[in-house]
Amino acid sequence: MNEADAAPLSETELEQIDAYWRAANYLTVGQIYLLDNPLLREPLRLEHVKPRLLGHWGTSPGLSFIYAHLNRVIRQQKANMIYICGPGHGGPAMVANAYLEGTYSELNPDVPLDEAGLRTLFRQFSFPGGIPSHVAPEVPGSIHEGGELGYALSHAYGAAFDNPGLVVACVIGDGEAETGPLATAWHSNKFLNPIHDGAVLPILHLNGYKIANPTILARIPHAELRALLVGYGYDPLFVEGEEPAAMHQRMATVLDQAMRKIHAIQDAARSGHGGTRPAWPVIVLRSPKGWTGPKEVDGLKTEGFWRSHQVPLSGLADNPEHLKMLEDWLLSYRPQELFDDTGRPKEELRDTTPTGPLRMSANPHANGGLLRKPLELPDLSKHAIEVPHPGAAKAEATRVMGGYLRAVMQTNLAAQNFRIVGPDETASNRLQDVFEVTERAWMEEILPEDVHLGRDGKVLEILSEHTCQGWLEGYLLTGRHGLFSCYEAFIHIVDSMFNQHAKWLDASSHIQWRQPIASLNYLLTSHVWQQDHNGFSHQDPGFVDVALNKKADIVRVYFPPDANSLLCVTEHVLQTWDRINIIVAGKAPSWQWMSMDEARLHCDAGVGIWDWACRHNRPEPDIVMACAGDVPALETLAAVTILREHLPDLAVRVVNVVDLMALQPEDVHPHGLSSAAFNALFTTNRPVIFAYHGYPWTIHRLTYRRTNHHNIHVRGYNEEGTTTTPFDMTVLNGLDRFHLVLGVLERLAGLGEAGDQLRALMKAKLAEHHDYIRAHGQDMPEIRDWRWTPNATI
Ligand SMILES: Cc1ncc(C[n+]2csc(CCOP(=O)(O)OP(=O)(O)O)c2C)c(N)n1
Ligand SMILES: [Mg+2]
């Protein structure tokens, strides 16, 4: 290191950067504590302080320290940078920085850069009717709420993919670093190509503590920490200490080094000298938790300890000494030097920040909808399966979808704005046609025998559903598009991340300046009814139930019953924004029901009567056979053929549901059917045997307000599973054709002898099935060879 490196900041620069940092800290403490008297122009009294003290101080000074130094680099280098704040509970710090940059007031004219604005800024924080305590969508420059810890680094990499000009600074709390999702996200560097991707600069914030414990990474020996980061493939740079002036110089030195390394890596790779995975820099910032806050409170260590995690001083009403300490603490930042007479941050401070869109709080990448361009979608009809009549063809639905996704990928390759992510399952889920136009991204060694691995691949596969989800969220939040394909059972691993993203979308939709981002699209396949190699552990259709808890405006759930309907749904979801779309579809060879034209009409309606499958189609059928999902549709149709043969006079209506949300009342969900439309399909008084892909209660939950709800009898997954034949899975759960027919017989009185005979036959069939599979290890020929026969009398 040369001398300039050791102290890169001139005295003036040092003073300015420190003043900026003090201002950010002042604004942070002000937000947590003050209702009034924002500039301490008069002695602090109890009525100036909030009655409820809600916020997190401990992480905040470190966050602002980093912010101030990143600003210096941005200004010097005109760097295009965003800031991901892993410890999202440091909301007041991020708001403070956005305010000092001017962005906050530009977006919120009611919070101007003056004393009145300061009062509002302070008052609104963690206050009813105000703003949340975290780095929520309300915070300009944020794409990461950080309330649920663990996703900072995967979000950062998601933002950097296909963004060659962007540097994503990503602060990781040392507590956060203990989470599973964060721990595995370090490996994202194995997928980042310096040629066409941007850079991620992780900054591990070792403030030593979590809420009430030391952190592992802060207490392990230095050499082990270094070895750990080196082992993850990074080049660690350390900034350690607590004396501000020395820390400013050290941070400036290290940030310059880090940026030089990033540029060297990118320059080498972009001039043809890359090829292998570089060791990207990571900064380790070891500084006291609650830095610059009260050192001791009531004789107990506070600065540099976990006691400063939230509000170091509390109970001010009963404790005048604490009030005085708060005043001293605020005054220690010398606010009179930081704000002018009007309360506006002094120009010298404002001069330390970048301007315009280079401000991290105003960078358009952090309001990705500003940059979002619609995907170019290829002609769907080229991928259609020929289905001259229902049941005329067999196809693997997701393989057909894969063909379409290949075309989507190809059409948008030049735009570099479409990624498919998945936990090692793209091919297993039958989407492998995309590998004809791209590969799986891979920056490690590639062996001659490897298949579809490449440096430029647009498919991201890592066996971490958390990382897949985080990457895709980061990618979408910065204005691009994508799809997550996953085994149905294991998508539960990201239940909580799904929740958080749904909350983000919900909150964002109320913020006028946030622009819509592309929807998060899931394909859930290898589903509960189609497990060949796998058993009980792989059988769980409950993700949909998690999804239904979220606001109706956000979530859509689709059960296309065949390949053409899957194509229609796929095309649709890729054009939507600000939603989470869940598509559940099988990958096994299955009968096809609809031509492309029919599928379009059916999917547009979301639910409809399959006229071709009805028997004596009339306004008041004897029974309604409803289905949602590919296997339930098949079993329903098979049940209809049995009914047709044995009870030829029975009037049977078949209703297929593609859009699950259509079942909800129209005032609950935008896709909900009106009462009249629902009643026209499901009647007001006829029994409905509803074969559903997932847990039966889901259908009851969606339809409980419908007139005919008491007549809806649902068959679905009852948590019965094992490694067995596909048909046996339906039998175990009572979703098979024989049980469906038994369900009909149970609900219809007066079928006489014909009904009794059919009941006996169904029971015999179930017994036969039971014995057959145990003897032969596969389903009965009549099940395997079943096919739909057109209905003579509809
Ligand atoms: C997944 C998750 N588990 C638990 C919490 C509760 N929690 C909030 S802050 C915190 C400690 C975080 O420590 P660290 O990441 O070191 O942040 P900092 O020290 O910078 O505040 C915990 C456990 C959470 N927010 N998210
Ligand atoms: Mg910590």
Side-chain angles (χ1 to χ4, degrees):
M1 194 192 301
N2 61 36
E3 222 166 273
D5 265 352
L9 301 175
S10 71
E11 213 163 292
T12 318
E13 278 176 321
L14 178 72
E15 256 169 41
Q16 279 181 344
I17 216 162
D18 191 64
Y20 176 94
W21 184 44
R22 284 188 281 119
N25 288 339
Y26 182 84
L27 295 179
T28 300
V29 186
Q31 287 176 80
I32 295 174
Y33 282 95
L34 296 186
L35 265 185
D36 209 345
N37 191 13
L39 288 165
L40 291 193
R41 294 233 158 100
E42 50 182 311
L44 188 64
R45 294 193 306 274
L46 202 53
E47 61 263 33
H48 300 145
V49 178
K50 295 184 179 181
R52 298 170 72 234
L53 301 172
L54 307 168
H56 298 82
W57 161 248
T59 191
S60 295
L63 297 178
S64 293
F65 181 82
I66 294 164
Y67 207 106
H69 282 268
L70 292 174
N71 273 351
R72 183 186 72 94
V73 168
I74 294 169
R75 270 188 19 261
Q76 268 182 5
Q77 305 182 9
K78 302 229 173 322
N80 181 10
M81 203 181 274
I82 61 171
Y83 186 130
I84 292 193
C85 175
H89 43 282
M94 302 309 283
V95 171
N97 286 290
Y99 183 77
L100 287 172
E101 291 191 311
T103 320
Y104 201 89
S105 304
E106 286 162 22
L107 298 174
N108 303 282
D110 56 323
V111 191
L113 287 166
D114 58 22
E115 184 167 358
L118 278 179
R119 186 177 296 108
T120 311
L121 183 81
F122 290 178
R123 193 182 179 90
Q124 66 172 10
F125 175 76
S126 275
F127 206 73
I131 62 167
S133 59
H134 282 66
V135 192
E138 284 83 348
V139 182
S142 173
I143 61 163
H144 175 84
E145 208 256 5
E148 185 168 285
L149 298 165
Y151 317 132
L153 200 50
S154 54
H155 279 168
Y157 276 94
F161 291 130
D162 296 323
N163 247 337
L166 189 66
V167 179
V168 185
C170 176
V171 181
I172 300 160
D174 46 358
E176 178 182 25
E178 294 174 13
T179 64
L182 196 290
T184 200
W186 289 112
H187 286 303
S188 306
N189 56 355
K190 282 76 183 183
F191 301 85
L192 189 90
N193 187 327
I195 299 176
H196 52 69
D197 296 325
V200 173
L201 176 59
I203 303 168
L204 179 61
H205 189 197
L206 285 194
N207 60 17
Y209 296 92
K210 307 178 285 243
I211 297 177
N213 266 293
T215 60
I216 296 169
L217 295 188
R219 290 279 173 103
I220 61 175
H222 202 282
E224 272 184 31
L225 177 62
R226 175 184 288 279
L228 181 74
L229 294 170
V230 170
Y232 278 130
Y234 293 87
D235 177 3
L237 303 166
F238 290 82
V239 179
E240 299 172 290
E242 58 184 284
E243 201 279 304
M247 286 293 276
H248 284 308
Q249 292 290 10
R250 178 69 189 147
M251 185 68 179
T253 303
V254 162
L255 254 185
D256 285 347
Q257 283 175 356
M259 291 302 285
R260 275 201 298 273
K261 282 175 195 277
I262 287 172
H263 292 142
I265 289 168
Q266 291 179 334
D267 290 350
R270 292 172 192 180
S271 59
H273 299 101
T276 53
R277 175 176 56 78
W280 295 93
V282 54
I283 295 179
V284 180
L285 172 65
R286 192 191 294 270
S287 61
K289 189 151 184 167
W291 199 7
T292 71
K295 292 210 178 312
E296 272 192 8
V297 179
D298 301 332
L300 297 172
K301 183 175 169 71
T302 301
E303 187 195 20
F305 199 61
W306 50 256
R307 276 193 200 95
S308 57
H309 179 68
Q310 290 176 349
V311 287
L313 297 165
S314 53
L316 307 194
D318 309 319
N319 204 329
E321 195 198 330
H322 283 194
L323 187 65
K324 178 74 180 86
M325 286 172 76
L326 173 61
E327 186 175 37
D328 292 346
W329 176 17
L330 281 159
L331 290 173
S332 74
Y333 299 117
R334 308 198 294 281
Q336 69 283 6
E337 294 175 18
L338 306 174
F339 302 93
D340 68 17
D341 290 346
T342 67
R344 186 182 173 83
K346 288 204 173 152
E347 282 313 311
E348 306 91 88
L349 291 187
R350 305 278 319 283
D351 285 350
T352 68
T353 68
T355 52
L358 285 184
R359 294 170 295 178
M360 290 186 284
S361 55
N363 191 308
H365 291 281
N367 184 7
L370 287 171
L371 305 175
R372 179 179 62 106
K373 294 199 184 72
L375 277 178
E376 296 230 357
L377 293 183
D379 183 0
L380 197 62
S381 57
K382 288 201 180 118
H383 303 272
I385 298 283
E386 279 291 312
V387 187
H389 57 84
K394 265 193 169 182
E396 296 158 276
T398 58
R399 192 185 292 276
V400 176
M401 177 185 182
Y404 176 63
L405 290 175
R406 175 194 56 206
V408 174
M409 184 62 85
Q410 179 136 48
T411 315
N412 295 281
L413 264 186
Q416 304 244 22
N417 64 351
F418 182 61
R419 291 268 186 166
I420 295 175
V421 305
D424 185 31
E425 292 162 5
T426 307
S428 171
N429 291 338
R430 306 282 185 272
L431 303 180
Q432 62 266 50
D433 280 3
V434 295
F435 295 130
E436 290 172 15
V437 295
T438 189
E439 294 169 312
R440 301 173 174 94
W442 191 251
M443 291 302 293
E444 293 303 321
E445 189 183 4
I446 297 179
L447 304 176
E449 59 270 33
D450 281 331
V451 181
H452 298 312
L453 279 188
R455 302 286 187 239
D456 300 322
K458 295 292 170 214
V459 176
L460 291 163
E461 294 201 322
I462 184 172
L463 214 174
S464 160
E465 284 78 3
H466 289 121
T467 308
C468 292
Q469 171 92 14
W471 283 343
L472 183 54
E473 288 178 2
Y475 200 68
L476 301 175
L477 285 159
T478 46
R480 287 78 63 72
H481 305 261
L483 175 90
F484 184 173
S485 101
C486 192
Y487 284 4
E488 181 186 51
F490 302 140
I491 196 67
H492 269 305
I493 290 170
V494 299
D495 278 2
S496 208
M497 294 183 79
F498 161 90
N499 282 340
Q500 298 301 327
H501 190 67
K503 287 171 197 284
W504 177 278
L505 293 178
D506 178 22
S508 296
S509 70
H510 303 294
I511 298 168
Q512 175 257 328
W513 52 266
R514 284 238 175 236
Q515 296 301 309
I517 59 166
S519 300
L520 171 50
N521 300 313
Y522 292 101
L523 169 67
L524 306 187
T525 183
S526 303
H527 64 53
V528 53
W529 306 112
Q530 293 174 345
Q531 292 296 327
D532 285 332
H533 305 276
N534 306 307
F536 202 23
S537 61
H538 286 55
Q539 292 155 354
D540 196 305
F543 185 66
V544 167
D545 303 272
V546 174
L548 288 178
N549 294 331
K550 294 295 142 212
K551 292 259 177 74
D553 271 352
I554 309 289
V555 177
R556 306 285 186 268
V557 183
Y558 298 99
F559 285 100
D562 66 1
N564 286 336
S565 52
L566 175 59
L567 285 175
C568 294
V569 169
T570 306
E571 183 194 51
H572 170 71
V573 300
L574 291 176
Q575 297 173 81
T576 65
W577 58 88
D578 278 354
R579 291 182 199 151
I580 304 182
N581 297 303
I582 301 167
I583 309 173
V584 185
K587 66 182 185 182
S590 306
W591 290 114
Q592 301 298 304
W593 312 119
M594 292 176 284
S595 69
M596 186 51 109
D597 289 343
E598 290 159 347
R600 273 196 193 283
L601 286 174
H602 188 58
C603 292
D604 283 351
V607 47
I609 298 176
W610 273 350
D611 292 322
W612 51 269
C614 297
R615 174 80 168 174
H616 306 307
N617 194 4
R618 54 182 186 234
E620 285 294 304
D622 295 311
I623 188 102
V624 177
M625 304 288 284
C627 51
D630 47 14
V631 169
L634 176 93
E635 290 306 315
T636 296
L637 292 170
V640 168
T641 55
I642 296 171
L643 290 170
R644 222 166 58 187
E645 186 185 338
H646 294 273
L647 298 172
D649 294 333
L650 202 66
V652 181
R653 172 182 295 171
V654 177
V655 174
N656 179 262
V657 180
V658 177
D659 178 350
L660 201 63
M661 301 298 108
L663 297 178
Q664 302 201 59
E666 62 185 334
D667 60 342
V668 173
H669 196 282
H671 288 192
L673 292 177
S674 67
S675 291
F678 188 92
N679 294 343
L681 292 172
F682 293 93
T683 78
T684 52
N685 58 3
R686 305 310 305 148
V688 178
I689 304 294
F690 199 129
Y692 173 54
H693 174 93
Y695 292 100
W697 281 111
T698 310
I699 300 300
H700 289 298
R701 176 177 169 186
L702 297 174
T703 58
Y704 80 98
R705 275 170 54 188
R706 300 295 189 177
T707 311
N708 203 27
H709 177 244
H710 63 287
N711 267 328
I712 297 181
H713 308 282
V714 188
R715 300 301 175 102
Y717 184 62
N718 286 323
E719 204 62 20
E720 294 293 341
T722 180
T723 310
T724 186
T725 69
F727 183 66
D728 194 43
M729 269 302 294
T730 63
V731 173
L732 288 174
N733 290 281
L735 181 72
D736 62 284
R737 58 202 69 179
F738 305 135
H739 277 108
L740 292 179
V741 171
L742 286 170
V744 172
L745 299 176
E746 195 184 328
R747 302 296 159 191
L748 291 179
L751 292 173
E753 204 177 323
D756 293 343
Q757 280 175 2
L758 184 55
R759 187 174 299 108
L761 178 64
M762 293 300 95
K763 290 189 173 161
K765 280 288 168 198
L766 285 168
E768 188 185 342
H769 156 78
H770 176 273
D771 296 344
Y772 187 93
I773 60 168
R774 278 160 182 76
H776 301 277
Q778 62 176 344
D779 287 321
M780 299 188 293
E782 67 176 89
I783 301 294
R784 283 184 278 133
D785 300 339
W786 181 87
R787 62 180 305 169
W788 172 254
T789 41
N791 200 340
T793 356
I794 59 166

